[in-house]
């Protein structure tokens, strides 16, 4: 129990730390950040339940006003901005990523975790992000979807990194990859 709480807090802190990497904000108000890599790693390393809890803790801290999002953003105003859908989708993305890694036992872990990160950390996250973007900018879903295409190459790189990092962690410390425990 203590180990789980510690890892949940540690991975919430990892997402916050990844927000310190300088961001690039696109013209329509959504920044390109490294924080989605942290969300992918939460699911791939901690598993569905613990990964989602770590991300929920991070989102709760943001909602309480801590400036943990890239660019030092935080507070309830985040949930009325173009990024709202992405922030709300973070826990779901981590959960689905973790669920896939927990249940897909065939093949190399780097491939499994990378593919799970594409499905959870891109497809699921984009479903929430596109919906939030359409709402915040008063755009149709196809228009909002077109806006996020600029993120796809970077997010694919993050998914590959999540797969490689998860596999390297499993080789170095097999007991630390709880999604495979």
């Amino acid at each position: 129990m203590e180990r789980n709480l510690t890892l949940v807090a540690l991975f919430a802190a990892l997402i916050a730390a990844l927000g310190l990497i300088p961001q690039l904000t696109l013209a329509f108000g959504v920044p390109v950040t490294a924080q989605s890599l942290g969300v992918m790693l939460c699911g791939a390393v901690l598993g569905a339940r613990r990964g989602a809890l770590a991300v929920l803790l991070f989102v709760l801290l943001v909602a309480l006003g801590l400036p943990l999002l890239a660019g030092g953003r935080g507070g309830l105003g985040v949930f009325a901005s173009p990024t709202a859908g992405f922030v709300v989708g973070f826990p779901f993305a981590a959960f689905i990523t973790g669920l896939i890694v927990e249940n897909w036992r065939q093949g190399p872990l780097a491939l499994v975790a990378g593919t799970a990160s594409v499905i959870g950390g891109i497809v699921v996250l984009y479903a929430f992000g596109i919906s939030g973007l359409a709402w915040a900018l008063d755009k149709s879903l196809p228009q909002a979807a077109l806006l996020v295409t600029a993120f796809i190459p970077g997010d694919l790189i993050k998914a590959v990194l999540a797969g490689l990092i998860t596999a390297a962690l499993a080789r170095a410390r097999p007991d630390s990859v709880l999604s495979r425990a």
Side-chain angles (χ1 to χ4, degrees), residues 41 44 109-115 117 158-168:
L41 286 170
L109 182 56
L111 176 65
V112 171
T115 303
S117 294
K158 291 179 224 175
V160 169
L161 285 172
L164 293 173
I165 292 167
T166 302

Side-chain angles (χ1 to χ4, degrees), residues 84-86 88-90 92-93 123-133:
F86 290 99
V88 169
F90 278 176
F92 296 95
V123 175
V124 171
L125 186 59
Y126 278 38
F128 283 89
I130 289 167
S131 300
L133 196 59

Side-chain angles (χ1 to χ4, degrees), residues 142-163:
Q143 289 172 321
L146 186 60
L147 290 173
V148 300
T149 58
F151 295 106
I152 294 172
D155 283 340
L156 288 171
I157 292 168
K158 291 179 224 175
V160 169
L161 285 172

Side-chain angles (χ1 to χ4, degrees), residues 31-119:
V32 177
T33 74
Q35 288 182 304
S36 56
L37 172 61
V39 171
M40 294 173 190
L41 286 170
C42 282
V45 174
L46 297 181
R49 193 172 56 87
R50 286 178 289 256
L53 286 173
V55 180
L56 275 171
L57 174 59
F58 173 79
V59 172
L60 175 66
L61 294 172
V62 167
L64 290 173
L66 274 67
L68 300 178
L69 288 173
R73 296 172 302 118
L76 293 176
V78 167
F79 297 97
S81 73
T83 61
F86 290 99
V87 176
V88 169
F90 278 176
F92 296 95
F95 182 83
I96 296 300
T97 301
L99 193 64
I100 293 168
V101 175
E102 288 172 358
N103 291 297
W104 182 6
R105 297 291 181 158
Q106 304 298 330
L109 182 56
L111 176 65
V112 171
T115 303
S117 294
V118 168
I119 295 167

